[in-house]
Amino acid sequence: MTGAAPIPPSVPDMRVLLEGARTLGGAHGAVLEICLLTLCLPFEAVAIDLERINWRNGHVPVPLRKGGARILPLPGPARQTIIRIAGASRATGQAVTAGRGRRLKHADVRLDRLQDWLADEAPATIPVPPWNFHGIRMAGRHALLEHGRTMREANAAVGVVARPTSRADILPPSRIEGLAAVGLEVWCEILLGGGRARTGKG
């Protein structure tokens, strides 16, 4: 199940993955759970530091692969997950390890390692579907479009900014962050079973 090609699971399959992540717990379960709730990549999830989260608006900076950073909105369920792991919103350190023990590194959450961990540890009652992180993001984006969100919201939710074709297409970072925040809140409603078809305005 490794490789660069997206392997998009269905929304019901992603609910199974979420159940597996929450059942198994630990730092690896936290990474998978945060990735499912925020449609981020694992290297972004391990980079979330508790003291850098803006709890008022639920935003946190995470690194980009080619340098720099982007703002990752944390929808309500993701913030609840982080608080559950950390024990309190005033904790410090790496979010997925609650600032305790060895800090997870990017290599620890490579796709093949997380896939093997989940396949080996999940109980027989949790059938693990085929998946990878790019597939999860693709499936989440598609689900948002199916639920009436705009292309801009769906793209912003997975951290994709389309190349502008005119000056009217150029959005300020704060606008992109706002679109992403709305998209991810709706995504969590879909994932957790309460998604409603709503028309987007972005």
Side-chain angles (χ1 to χ4, degrees):
M1 286 187 288
T2 60
I7 305 174
S10 66
V11 172
D13 282 345
M14 284 193 276
R15 292 176 184 144
V16 172
L17 289 172
L18 183 63
E19 180 186 1
R22 289 176 169 173
T23 299
L24 297 175
H28 288 87
V31 169
L32 181 53
E33 185 174 348
I34 290 170
C35 287
L36 284 162
L37 293 172
T38 67
L39 299 176
C40 74
L41 290 166
F43 79 89
E44 295 174 315
V46 299
I48 297 173
D49 275 355
L50 293 163
E51 62 267 30
R52 301 197 69 190
I53 297 173
N54 184 327
W55 293 102
R56 178 174 296 178
N57 61 22
H59 291 180
V60 65
V62 292
L64 295 171
R65 283 193 186 280
K66 296 182 179 180
R70 75 177 180 103
I71 296 298
L72 175 67
L74 298 172
R79 295 198 297 273
Q80 292 167 10
T81 291
I82 291 171
I83 291 173
R84 186 192 76 229
I85 295 166
S89 60
R90 288 173 293 180
T92 61
Q94 187 181 42
V96 296
T97 57
R100 296 187 290 271
R102 186 179 70 86
R103 186 181 178 93
L104 277 190
K105 299 180 180 179
H106 297 178
D108 298 322
V109 292
R110 278 184 357 206
L111 174 64
D112 56 342
R113 293 184 179 180
L114 275 175
Q115 286 174 329
D116 290 345
W117 166 81
L118 188 61
D120 291 343
E121 300 296 330
T125 54
I126 303 177
V128 180
W131 66 283
N132 63 15
F133 289 105
H134 288 297
I136 287 172
R137 286 155 56 80
M138 177 184 290
R141 178 180 174 276
H142 180 70
L144 284 169
L145 294 172
E146 282 195 328
H147 280 73
R149 307 316 298 180
T150 67
M151 183 67 73
R152 279 180 170 177
E153 283 178 340
N155 284 340
V158 295
V160 172
V161 179
R163 180 172 295 179
T165 58
S166 69
R167 292 179 63 87
D169 293 330
I170 300 174
L171 299 178
S174 60
R175 176 65 173 146
I176 296 171
E177 292 161 17
L179 291 169
V182 171
L184 288 172
E185 289 291 351
V186 175
W187 163 242
C188 283
E189 291 180 8
I190 297 168
L191 179 64
L192 300 175
R196 300 186 298 275
R198 298 188 294 175
T199 301
K201 299 180 181 179

